[in-house]
Amino acid sequence: MPVWICLHCGASGSQTLEVDCLVPRWADVAHHLATERRGLLIVQAPPTANLRWLQIQGTVRPLKIPDWSCFLHRMISISHPESLYLVVRMTPRRIDLVDEERGWGVQETLEW
C-alpha cells in the first residue's frame, strides 16, 4: 500500500512527524479504523543480507480533505479516488528500528 511521509507544523510552530497512508476501502483495515484509533505501520528497508525495518506505533485518524496529488502521481488516473481509498494520518508515539546487521533482536526505540 503506498505511503507518503510528510512533516506538518503544529499549532505552536513546532514540527511533528506524521505519516499519511492510502488504505483501500475494500480492505479490512479501513473497516477497523472506524472504531480503533491505534495503528501499527511497518516499513521494511530494501532487501540485503540482513533484515532492517521501522515499526511505527501511533494514533490514526482519517483525513476529511486529503491531498490526493501526493498519491495520484503514482496511481492510474482515477476520477473519484475517495470512493476507492481512504487516507489516514498516523501521529507516531513510538518508533522502533530493528537492524539485524547489528545482531539478532537489536533494536533502538524513540518514544514520546
Short mmCIF file of all heavy atoms in Angstrom, two decimals, residues 19-86:
data_model
loop_
_atom_site.label_atom_id
_atom_site.label_comp_id
_atom_site.label_asym_id
_atom_site.label_seq_id
_atom_site.Cartn_x
_atom_site.Cartn_y
_atom_site.Cartn_z
N VAL A 19 2.60 10.56 9.26
CA VAL A 19 2.65 9.69 8.10
C VAL A 19 1.25 9.55 7.53
O VAL A 19 0.33 9.18 8.24
CB VAL A 19 3.19 8.29 8.48
CG1 VAL A 19 3.29 7.41 7.26
CG2 VAL A 19 4.54 8.40 9.18
N ASP A 20 1.10 9.89 6.26
CA ASP A 20 -0.18 9.70 5.58
C ASP A 20 -0.15 8.38 4.84
O ASP A 20 0.82 8.07 4.15
CB ASP A 20 -0.45 10.84 4.59
CG ASP A 20 -0.75 12.16 5.28
OD1 ASP A 20 -0.82 12.19 6.52
OD2 ASP A 20 -0.90 13.17 4.57
N CYS A 21 -1.22 7.60 4.98
CA CYS A 21 -1.30 6.27 4.36
C CYS A 21 -2.55 6.18 3.51
O CYS A 21 -3.63 6.61 3.92
CB CYS A 21 -1.36 5.18 5.43
SG CYS A 21 0.02 5.17 6.56
N LEU A 22 -2.40 5.60 2.36
CA LEU A 22 -3.51 5.36 1.45
C LEU A 22 -3.99 3.94 1.71
O LEU A 22 -3.24 2.98 1.53
CB LEU A 22 -3.02 5.51 0.01
CG LEU A 22 -4.04 5.43 -1.10
CD1 LEU A 22 -5.00 6.61 -1.02
CD2 LEU A 22 -3.33 5.43 -2.44
N VAL A 23 -5.26 3.79 2.13
CA VAL A 23 -5.82 2.49 2.51
C VAL A 23 -6.98 2.15 1.57
O VAL A 23 -7.90 2.95 1.43
CB VAL A 23 -6.34 2.53 3.97
CG1 VAL A 23 -6.93 1.20 4.37
CG2 VAL A 23 -5.23 2.95 4.92
N PRO A 24 -6.95 0.99 0.94
CA PRO A 24 -8.08 0.59 0.10
C PRO A 24 -9.34 0.41 0.96
O PRO A 24 -9.29 -0.21 2.01
CB PRO A 24 -7.65 -0.76 -0.50
CG PRO A 24 -6.19 -0.87 -0.25
CD PRO A 24 -5.87 -0.01 0.92
N ARG A 25 -10.44 0.97 0.52
CA ARG A 25 -11.69 0.88 1.29
C ARG A 25 -12.21 -0.56 1.38
O ARG A 25 -12.95 -0.90 2.27
CB ARG A 25 -12.76 1.79 0.69
CG ARG A 25 -12.47 3.26 0.92
CD ARG A 25 -13.69 4.11 0.62
NE ARG A 25 -13.41 5.51 0.85
CZ ARG A 25 -13.58 6.14 2.00
NH1 ARG A 25 -14.03 5.48 3.04
NH2 ARG A 25 -13.31 7.42 2.11
N TRP A 26 -11.81 -1.44 0.42
CA TRP A 26 -12.28 -2.81 0.45
C TRP A 26 -11.47 -3.68 1.42
O TRP A 26 -11.83 -4.81 1.68
CB TRP A 26 -12.25 -3.42 -0.94
CG TRP A 26 -10.88 -3.47 -1.55
CD1 TRP A 26 -9.94 -4.46 -1.40
CD2 TRP A 26 -10.28 -2.50 -2.39
NE1 TRP A 26 -8.80 -4.16 -2.09
CE2 TRP A 26 -8.97 -2.94 -2.70
CE3 TRP A 26 -10.69 -1.26 -2.89
CZ2 TRP A 26 -8.10 -2.22 -3.50
CZ3 TRP A 26 -9.82 -0.56 -3.70
CH2 TRP A 26 -8.54 -1.04 -3.99
N ALA A 27 -10.40 -3.15 1.98
CA ALA A 27 -9.57 -3.91 2.93
C ALA A 27 -10.18 -3.84 4.33
O ALA A 27 -10.84 -2.86 4.69
CB ALA A 27 -8.16 -3.35 2.96
N ASP A 28 -9.97 -4.87 5.12
CA ASP A 28 -10.49 -4.91 6.49
C ASP A 28 -9.94 -3.77 7.35
O ASP A 28 -10.62 -3.31 8.25
CB ASP A 28 -10.16 -6.25 7.16
CG ASP A 28 -11.00 -7.39 6.63
OD1 ASP A 28 -12.04 -7.11 6.00
OD2 ASP A 28 -10.62 -8.55 6.84
N VAL A 29 -8.73 -3.32 7.04
CA VAL A 29 -8.12 -2.27 7.87
C VAL A 29 -8.96 -0.99 7.82
O VAL A 29 -9.10 -0.29 8.82
CB VAL A 29 -6.65 -2.03 7.47
CG1 VAL A 29 -6.53 -1.39 6.12
CG2 VAL A 29 -5.95 -1.20 8.52
N ALA A 30 -9.53 -0.65 6.67
CA ALA A 30 -10.38 0.55 6.57
C ALA A 30 -11.59 0.42 7.48
O ALA A 30 -12.00 1.38 8.14
CB ALA A 30 -10.80 0.78 5.13
N HIS A 31 -12.16 -0.76 7.56
CA HIS A 31 -13.31 -1.00 8.44
C HIS A 31 -12.92 -0.87 9.91
O HIS A 31 -13.62 -0.25 10.69
CB HIS A 31 -13.89 -2.39 8.15
CG HIS A 31 -14.94 -2.80 9.13
ND1 HIS A 31 -16.20 -2.25 9.15
CD2 HIS A 31 -14.90 -3.69 10.15
CE1 HIS A 31 -16.89 -2.79 10.14
NE2 HIS A 31 -16.12 -3.67 10.75
N HIS A 32 -11.78 -1.44 10.28
CA HIS A 32 -11.34 -1.40 11.68
C HIS A 32 -10.96 0.00 12.14
O HIS A 32 -11.08 0.33 13.31
CB HIS A 32 -10.18 -2.36 11.91
CG HIS A 32 -10.57 -3.80 11.78
ND1 HIS A 32 -11.44 -4.41 12.65
CD2 HIS A 32 -10.23 -4.74 10.87
CE1 HIS A 32 -11.62 -5.67 12.29
NE2 HIS A 32 -10.89 -5.89 11.20
N LEU A 33 -10.50 0.85 11.22
CA LEU A 33 -10.13 2.20 11.59
C LEU A 33 -11.32 3.06 12.00
O LEU A 33 -11.16 4.10 12.61
CB LEU A 33 -9.37 2.89 10.44
CG LEU A 33 -7.96 2.38 10.22
CD1 LEU A 33 -7.36 3.01 8.97
CD2 LEU A 33 -7.08 2.64 11.43
N ALA A 34 -12.53 2.60 11.69
CA ALA A 34 -13.72 3.31 12.12
C ALA A 34 -13.90 3.25 13.63
O ALA A 34 -14.48 4.15 14.23
CB ALA A 34 -14.96 2.75 11.43
N THR A 35 -13.38 2.20 14.27
CA THR A 35 -13.54 2.05 15.73
C THR A 35 -12.22 2.08 16.48
O THR A 35 -12.17 2.46 17.64
CB THR A 35 -14.25 0.73 16.05
OG1 THR A 35 -13.50 -0.35 15.50
CG2 THR A 35 -15.66 0.72 15.51
N GLU A 36 -11.14 1.70 15.84
CA GLU A 36 -9.83 1.60 16.51
C GLU A 36 -8.94 2.74 16.03
O GLU A 36 -8.74 2.88 14.83
CB GLU A 36 -9.18 0.25 16.20
CG GLU A 36 -7.86 0.02 16.87
CD GLU A 36 -7.94 0.00 18.39
OE1 GLU A 36 -8.82 -0.70 18.92
OE2 GLU A 36 -7.14 0.69 19.03
N ARG A 37 -8.42 3.52 16.94
CA ARG A 37 -7.60 4.68 16.56
C ARG A 37 -6.10 4.43 16.73
O ARG A 37 -5.31 5.32 16.52
CB ARG A 37 -8.00 5.91 17.37
CG ARG A 37 -9.41 6.36 17.09
CD ARG A 37 -9.51 6.86 15.67
NE ARG A 37 -10.85 7.34 15.41
CZ ARG A 37 -11.50 7.12 14.30
NH1 ARG A 37 -10.95 6.42 13.35
NH2 ARG A 37 -12.69 7.59 14.11
N ARG A 38 -5.71 3.24 17.12
CA ARG A 38 -4.29 2.91 17.23
C ARG A 38 -3.87 2.16 15.99
O ARG A 38 -4.62 1.34 15.48
CB ARG A 38 -4.02 2.06 18.47
CG ARG A 38 -4.23 2.81 19.77
CD ARG A 38 -4.02 1.93 20.96
NE ARG A 38 -5.05 0.89 20.94
CZ ARG A 38 -4.90 -0.34 21.42
NH1 ARG A 38 -3.77 -0.69 21.97
NH2 ARG A 38 -5.87 -1.21 21.35
N GLY A 39 -2.66 2.46 15.53
CA GLY A 39 -2.18 1.80 14.32
C GLY A 39 -0.74 1.35 14.44
O GLY A 39 0.01 1.84 15.29
N LEU A 40 -0.36 0.43 13.60
CA LEU A 40 0.99 -0.08 13.52
C LEU A 40 1.38 -0.09 12.05
O LEU A 40 0.69 -0.69 11.22
CB LEU A 40 1.09 -1.48 14.11
CG LEU A 40 2.42 -2.20 13.94
CD1 LEU A 40 3.51 -1.50 14.74
CD2 LEU A 40 2.30 -3.65 14.39
N LEU A 41 2.48 0.57 11.74
CA LEU A 41 2.98 0.65 10.38
C LEU A 41 4.39 0.08 10.37
O LEU A 41 5.22 0.48 11.19
CB LEU A 41 2.99 2.10 9.90
CG LEU A 41 3.56 2.39 8.53
CD1 LEU A 41 2.71 1.75 7.44
CD2 LEU A 41 3.65 3.89 8.32
N ILE A 42 4.66 -0.85 9.47
CA ILE A 42 5.99 -1.44 9.36
C ILE A 42 6.55 -1.08 7.99
O ILE A 42 5.93 -1.32 6.97
CB ILE A 42 5.95 -2.97 9.55
CG1 ILE A 42 5.46 -3.28 10.96
CG2 ILE A 42 7.32 -3.58 9.28
CD1 ILE A 42 5.26 -4.74 11.26
N VAL A 43 7.75 -0.47 8.01
CA VAL A 43 8.41 -0.05 6.79
C VAL A 43 9.70 -0.85 6.69
O VAL A 43 10.61 -0.69 7.50
CB VAL A 43 8.73 1.46 6.82
CG1 VAL A 43 9.40 1.89 5.53
CG2 VAL A 43 7.46 2.27 7.08
N GLN A 44 9.78 -1.72 5.68
CA GLN A 44 10.95 -2.57 5.50
C GLN A 44 11.94 -1.89 4.56
O GLN A 44 11.57 -1.33 3.54
CB GLN A 44 10.55 -3.92 4.93
CG GLN A 44 11.72 -4.88 4.82
CD GLN A 44 11.28 -6.25 4.33
OE1 GLN A 44 10.10 -6.53 4.21
NE2 GLN A 44 12.23 -7.09 4.05
N ALA A 45 13.22 -1.95 4.93
CA ALA A 45 14.28 -1.42 4.07
C ALA A 45 14.44 -2.33 2.86
O ALA A 45 14.02 -3.49 2.89
CB ALA A 45 15.59 -1.35 4.86
N PRO A 46 15.05 -1.83 1.80
CA PRO A 46 15.29 -2.70 0.63
C PRO A 46 16.06 -3.96 1.05
O PRO A 46 16.89 -3.90 1.97
CB PRO A 46 16.15 -1.82 -0.29
CG PRO A 46 15.81 -0.42 0.11
CD PRO A 46 15.53 -0.47 1.58
N PRO A 47 15.79 -5.08 0.42
CA PRO A 47 16.41 -6.35 0.82
C PRO A 47 17.94 -6.32 0.75
O PRO A 47 18.52 -5.86 -0.23
CB PRO A 47 15.85 -7.37 -0.17
CG PRO A 47 14.73 -6.70 -0.87
CD PRO A 47 14.90 -5.24 -0.72
N THR A 48 18.55 -6.82 1.80
CA THR A 48 20.00 -7.03 1.86
C THR A 48 20.21 -8.37 2.56
O THR A 48 19.26 -9.10 2.81
CB THR A 48 20.71 -5.91 2.65
OG1 THR A 48 20.22 -5.90 3.98
CG2 THR A 48 20.50 -4.55 2.01
N ALA A 49 21.44 -8.66 2.90
CA ALA A 49 21.72 -9.92 3.61
C ALA A 49 21.05 -9.94 4.98
O ALA A 49 20.64 -10.99 5.46
CB ALA A 49 23.22 -10.12 3.76
N ASN A 50 20.94 -8.77 5.61
CA ASN A 50 20.31 -8.67 6.93
C ASN A 50 19.04 -7.84 6.83
O ASN A 50 18.99 -6.85 6.10
CB ASN A 50 21.27 -8.00 7.92
CG ASN A 50 22.53 -8.82 8.12
OD1 ASN A 50 22.48 -9.96 8.52
ND2 ASN A 50 23.67 -8.22 7.79
N LEU A 51 18.02 -8.25 7.57
CA LEU A 51 16.77 -7.51 7.57
C LEU A 51 16.90 -6.24 8.39
O LEU A 51 17.61 -6.19 9.39
CB LEU A 51 15.64 -8.38 8.14
CG LEU A 51 15.24 -9.57 7.29
CD1 LEU A 51 14.18 -10.39 8.02
CD2 LEU A 51 14.70 -9.12 5.95
N ARG A 52 16.15 -5.22 7.98
CA ARG A 52 16.13 -3.94 8.68
C ARG A 52 14.76 -3.33 8.44
O ARG A 52 14.28 -3.31 7.31
CB ARG A 52 17.22 -3.04 8.11
CG ARG A 52 17.39 -1.73 8.80
CD ARG A 52 18.52 -0.93 8.19
NE ARG A 52 19.73 -1.74 8.12
CZ ARG A 52 20.64 -1.65 7.17
NH1 ARG A 52 20.50 -0.79 6.20
NH2 ARG A 52 21.71 -2.42 7.18
N TRP A 53 14.11 -2.85 9.51
CA TRP A 53 12.82 -2.24 9.34
C TRP A 53 12.51 -1.27 10.47
O TRP A 53 13.10 -1.31 11.54
CB TRP A 53 11.71 -3.29 9.23
CG TRP A 53 11.45 -4.10 10.46
CD1 TRP A 53 10.56 -3.81 11.46
CD2 TRP A 53 12.07 -5.32 10.84
NE1 TRP A 53 10.60 -4.78 12.42
CE2 TRP A 53 11.51 -5.72 12.07
CE3 TRP A 53 13.04 -6.13 10.25
CZ2 TRP A 53 11.91 -6.89 12.72
CZ3 TRP A 53 13.43 -7.28 10.91
CH2 TRP A 53 12.85 -7.64 12.12
N LEU A 54 11.54 -0.38 10.20
CA LEU A 54 10.98 0.52 11.19
C LEU A 54 9.61 0.01 11.57
O LEU A 54 8.83 -0.40 10.70
CB LEU A 54 10.80 1.93 10.62
CG LEU A 54 12.01 2.81 10.49
CD1 LEU A 54 11.62 4.13 9.82
CD2 LEU A 54 12.65 3.08 11.83
N GLN A 55 9.32 0.05 12.84
CA GLN A 55 7.99 -0.31 13.33
C GLN A 55 7.45 0.95 14.01
O GLN A 55 8.01 1.41 15.00
CB GLN A 55 8.10 -1.46 14.32
CG GLN A 55 6.78 -1.91 14.86
CD GLN A 55 6.94 -3.17 15.69
OE1 GLN A 55 7.38 -4.19 15.17
NE2 GLN A 55 6.60 -3.09 16.96
N ILE A 56 6.40 1.53 13.45
CA ILE A 56 5.85 2.79 13.93
C ILE A 56 4.49 2.53 14.55
O ILE A 56 3.59 2.01 13.89
CB ILE A 56 5.72 3.81 12.78
CG1 ILE A 56 7.08 3.99 12.09
CG2 ILE A 56 5.17 5.13 13.28
CD1 ILE A 56 7.02 4.76 10.80
N GLN A 57 4.33 2.91 15.83
CA GLN A 57 3.05 2.79 16.53
C GLN A 57 2.54 4.20 16.80
O GLN A 57 3.31 5.09 17.15
CB GLN A 57 3.23 2.07 17.86
CG GLN A 57 3.73 0.66 17.73
CD GLN A 57 4.01 0.04 19.09
OE1 GLN A 57 3.26 0.23 20.03
NE2 GLN A 57 5.10 -0.69 19.17
N GLY A 58 1.24 4.40 16.63
CA GLY A 58 0.72 5.73 16.88
C GLY A 58 -0.78 5.80 16.77
O GLY A 58 -1.48 4.79 16.66
N THR A 59 -1.26 7.02 16.79
CA THR A 59 -2.68 7.31 16.69
C THR A 59 -3.02 7.59 15.23
O THR A 59 -2.29 8.31 14.55
CB THR A 59 -3.03 8.55 17.54
OG1 THR A 59 -2.57 8.33 18.87
CG2 THR A 59 -4.52 8.80 17.56
N VAL A 60 -4.12 7.03 14.77
CA VAL A 60 -4.52 7.15 13.37
C VAL A 60 -5.86 7.85 13.30
O VAL A 60 -6.76 7.58 14.09
CB VAL A 60 -4.64 5.75 12.72
CG1 VAL A 60 -5.06 5.86 11.28
CG2 VAL A 60 -3.33 5.00 12.84
N ARG A 61 -5.97 8.77 12.34
CA ARG A 61 -7.26 9.44 12.12
C ARG A 61 -7.46 9.62 10.61
O ARG A 61 -6.51 9.93 9.89
CB ARG A 61 -7.32 10.77 12.84
CG ARG A 61 -6.36 11.81 12.34
CD ARG A 61 -6.36 13.07 13.21
NE ARG A 61 -5.49 14.08 12.67
CZ ARG A 61 -4.18 14.09 12.76
NH1 ARG A 61 -3.54 13.11 13.35
NH2 ARG A 61 -3.48 15.08 12.24
N PRO A 62 -8.69 9.41 10.14
CA PRO A 62 -8.97 9.62 8.71
C PRO A 62 -8.88 11.11 8.39
O PRO A 62 -9.24 11.96 9.21
CB PRO A 62 -10.40 9.12 8.53
CG PRO A 62 -10.73 8.38 9.78
CD PRO A 62 -9.83 8.87 10.85
N LEU A 63 -8.42 11.44 7.20
CA LEU A 63 -8.37 12.82 6.74
C LEU A 63 -9.64 13.12 5.96
O LEU A 63 -9.98 12.39 5.03
CB LEU A 63 -7.15 13.07 5.87
CG LEU A 63 -5.80 12.99 6.56
CD1 LEU A 63 -4.69 13.28 5.56
CD2 LEU A 63 -5.73 13.97 7.71
N LYS A 64 -10.31 14.20 6.32
CA LYS A 64 -11.54 14.57 5.62
C LYS A 64 -11.25 15.15 4.24
O LYS A 64 -11.96 14.89 3.29
CB LYS A 64 -12.33 15.57 6.45
CG LYS A 64 -12.87 14.98 7.72
CD LYS A 64 -13.72 15.96 8.47
CE LYS A 64 -13.95 15.48 9.86
NZ LYS A 64 -15.04 14.97 10.34
N ILE A 65 -10.16 15.94 4.14
CA ILE A 65 -9.79 16.54 2.86
C ILE A 65 -8.32 16.22 2.60
O ILE A 65 -7.44 17.03 2.89
CB ILE A 65 -10.03 18.06 2.87
CG1 ILE A 65 -11.48 18.37 3.25
CG2 ILE A 65 -9.69 18.66 1.51
CD1 ILE A 65 -11.77 19.84 3.43
N PRO A 66 -8.03 15.03 2.08
CA PRO A 66 -6.63 14.65 1.83
C PRO A 66 -6.06 15.36 0.61
O PRO A 66 -6.79 15.84 -0.25
CB PRO A 66 -6.71 13.15 1.59
CG PRO A 66 -8.09 12.91 1.11
CD PRO A 66 -8.96 13.96 1.74
N ASP A 67 -4.75 15.40 0.55
CA ASP A 67 -4.04 15.93 -0.61
C ASP A 67 -3.83 14.78 -1.59
O ASP A 67 -2.83 14.06 -1.51
CB ASP A 67 -2.70 16.54 -0.15
CG ASP A 67 -1.92 17.12 -1.32
OD1 ASP A 67 -2.47 17.18 -2.44
OD2 ASP A 67 -0.77 17.52 -1.10
N TRP A 68 -4.77 14.60 -2.50
CA TRP A 68 -4.73 13.47 -3.42
C TRP A 68 -3.54 13.56 -4.37
O TRP A 68 -3.08 12.54 -4.89
CB TRP A 68 -6.03 13.38 -4.21
CG TRP A 68 -7.17 12.92 -3.38
CD1 TRP A 68 -8.21 13.67 -2.93
CD2 TRP A 68 -7.38 11.61 -2.84
NE1 TRP A 68 -9.04 12.91 -2.16
CE2 TRP A 68 -8.56 11.64 -2.08
CE3 TRP A 68 -6.67 10.41 -2.91
CZ2 TRP A 68 -9.05 10.52 -1.42
CZ3 TRP A 68 -7.16 9.29 -2.25
CH2 TRP A 68 -8.34 9.36 -1.52
N SER A 69 -3.00 14.74 -4.58
CA SER A 69 -1.87 14.87 -5.51
C SER A 69 -0.65 14.11 -5.00
O SER A 69 0.20 13.71 -5.79
CB SER A 69 -1.52 16.34 -5.73
OG SER A 69 -1.06 16.93 -4.52
N CYS A 70 -0.55 13.91 -3.69
CA CYS A 70 0.57 13.13 -3.13
C CYS A 70 0.53 11.68 -3.60
O CYS A 70 1.57 11.04 -3.70
CB CYS A 70 0.51 13.15 -1.60
SG CYS A 70 0.80 14.75 -0.88
N PHE A 71 -0.66 11.17 -3.83
CA PHE A 71 -0.82 9.76 -4.18
C PHE A 71 -1.10 9.53 -5.65
O PHE A 71 -0.68 8.53 -6.21
CB PHE A 71 -1.96 9.14 -3.37
CG PHE A 71 -1.75 9.23 -1.88
CD1 PHE A 71 -2.45 10.13 -1.12
CD2 PHE A 71 -0.84 8.39 -1.25
CE1 PHE A 71 -2.25 10.21 0.25
CE2 PHE A 71 -0.64 8.46 0.10
CZ PHE A 71 -1.34 9.37 0.86
N LEU A 72 -1.83 10.43 -6.29
CA LEU A 72 -2.30 10.19 -7.65
C LEU A 72 -1.20 10.15 -8.68
O LEU A 72 -1.37 9.53 -9.73
CB LEU A 72 -3.35 11.23 -8.03
CG LEU A 72 -4.66 11.11 -7.26
CD1 LEU A 72 -5.62 12.19 -7.70
CD2 LEU A 72 -5.29 9.74 -7.43
N HIS A 73 -0.06 10.78 -8.42
CA HIS A 73 1.02 10.73 -9.42
C HIS A 73 1.61 9.32 -9.52
O HIS A 73 2.28 9.00 -10.47
CB HIS A 73 2.10 11.75 -9.11
CG HIS A 73 2.91 11.45 -7.89
ND1 HIS A 73 2.48 11.75 -6.63
CD2 HIS A 73 4.11 10.87 -7.75
CE1 HIS A 73 3.39 11.37 -5.75
NE2 HIS A 73 4.40 10.83 -6.40
N ARG A 74 1.32 8.46 -8.55
CA ARG A 74 1.81 7.08 -8.59
C ARG A 74 0.73 6.10 -9.04
O ARG A 74 0.99 4.92 -9.20
CB ARG A 74 2.27 6.65 -7.20
CG ARG A 74 3.43 7.47 -6.71
CD ARG A 74 3.86 7.00 -5.38
NE ARG A 74 4.86 7.91 -4.85
CZ ARG A 74 5.26 7.94 -3.62
NH1 ARG A 74 4.75 7.11 -2.75
NH2 ARG A 74 6.17 8.79 -3.22
N MET A 75 -0.47 6.58 -9.15
CA MET A 75 -1.60 5.68 -9.47
C MET A 75 -2.11 5.99 -10.88
O MET A 75 -1.89 7.06 -11.42
CB MET A 75 -2.73 5.90 -8.46
CG MET A 75 -2.34 5.60 -7.03
SD MET A 75 -3.55 6.17 -5.81
CE MET A 75 -5.06 5.55 -6.44
N ILE A 76 -2.86 5.05 -11.42
CA ILE A 76 -3.56 5.29 -12.67
C ILE A 76 -4.61 6.34 -12.40
O ILE A 76 -5.19 6.41 -11.32
CB ILE A 76 -4.21 3.98 -13.17
CG1 ILE A 76 -3.13 2.94 -13.45
CG2 ILE A 76 -5.07 4.21 -14.39
CD1 ILE A 76 -3.66 1.56 -13.74
N SER A 77 -4.89 7.18 -13.35
CA SER A 77 -5.86 8.26 -13.17
C SER A 77 -7.21 7.70 -12.69
O SER A 77 -7.79 6.82 -13.31
CB SER A 77 -6.05 9.02 -14.48
OG SER A 77 -7.02 10.00 -14.32
N ILE A 78 -7.66 8.22 -11.58
CA ILE A 78 -8.94 7.80 -11.00
C ILE A 78 -9.78 9.06 -10.84
O ILE A 78 -9.34 10.04 -10.25
CB ILE A 78 -8.74 7.12 -9.63
CG1 ILE A 78 -7.89 5.87 -9.78
CG2 ILE A 78 -10.07 6.80 -8.98
CD1 ILE A 78 -7.54 5.22 -8.47
N SER A 79 -11.01 9.05 -11.36
CA SER A 79 -11.84 10.25 -11.31
C SER A 79 -12.32 10.55 -9.89
O SER A 79 -12.38 11.70 -9.50
CB SER A 79 -13.02 10.13 -12.27
OG SER A 79 -13.80 9.00 -11.92
N HIS A 80 -12.62 9.54 -9.10
CA HIS A 80 -13.08 9.74 -7.73
C HIS A 80 -12.32 8.80 -6.80
O HIS A 80 -12.84 7.76 -6.38
CB HIS A 80 -14.59 9.48 -7.61
CG HIS A 80 -15.42 10.41 -8.43
ND1 HIS A 80 -15.58 11.73 -8.11
CD2 HIS A 80 -16.09 10.22 -9.59
CE1 HIS A 80 -16.35 12.31 -9.02
NE2 HIS A 80 -16.66 11.42 -9.94
N PRO A 81 -11.08 9.15 -6.44
CA PRO A 81 -10.28 8.23 -5.62
C PRO A 81 -10.87 7.99 -4.24
O PRO A 81 -10.68 6.93 -3.67
CB PRO A 81 -8.92 8.92 -5.55
CG PRO A 81 -9.20 10.35 -5.81
CD PRO A 81 -10.36 10.38 -6.75
N GLU A 82 -11.62 8.97 -3.71
CA GLU A 82 -12.20 8.81 -2.37
C GLU A 82 -13.23 7.69 -2.30
O GLU A 82 -13.54 7.19 -1.23
CB GLU A 82 -12.81 10.13 -1.88
CG GLU A 82 -13.98 10.63 -2.68
CD GLU A 82 -13.60 11.40 -3.95
OE1 GLU A 82 -12.40 11.61 -4.21
OE2 GLU A 82 -14.52 11.76 -4.70
N SER A 83 -13.77 7.26 -3.45
CA SER A 83 -14.71 6.14 -3.43
C SER A 83 -13.98 4.80 -3.30
O SER A 83 -14.58 3.81 -2.88
CB SER A 83 -15.58 6.15 -4.68
OG SER A 83 -14.78 5.96 -5.82
N LEU A 84 -12.69 4.76 -3.66
CA LEU A 84 -11.92 3.52 -3.58
C LEU A 84 -10.93 3.50 -2.42
O LEU A 84 -10.58 2.42 -1.93
CB LEU A 84 -11.14 3.31 -4.88
CG LEU A 84 -11.97 3.12 -6.14
CD1 LEU A 84 -11.06 3.07 -7.36
CD2 LEU A 84 -12.78 1.84 -6.02
N TYR A 85 -10.46 4.67 -1.99
CA TYR A 85 -9.39 4.75 -0.99
C TYR A 85 -9.75 5.68 0.15
O TYR A 85 -10.48 6.66 -0.03
CB TYR A 85 -8.08 5.22 -1.64
CG TYR A 85 -7.59 4.29 -2.70
CD1 TYR A 85 -7.84 4.52 -4.04
CD2 TYR A 85 -6.86 3.15 -2.36
CE1 TYR A 85 -7.39 3.65 -5.02
CE2 TYR A 85 -6.41 2.27 -3.33
CZ TYR A 85 -6.67 2.53 -4.66
OH TYR A 85 -6.22 1.66 -5.61
N LEU A 86 -9.17 5.38 1.29
CA LEU A 86 -9.27 6.21 2.48
C LEU A 86 -7.85 6.67 2.81
O LEU A 86 -6.91 5.86 2.76
CB LEU A 86 -9.83 5.37 3.64
CG LEU A 86 -9.86 5.99 5.02
CD1 LEU A 86 -10.83 7.15 5.07
CD2 LEU A 86 -10.25 4.93 6.05
#
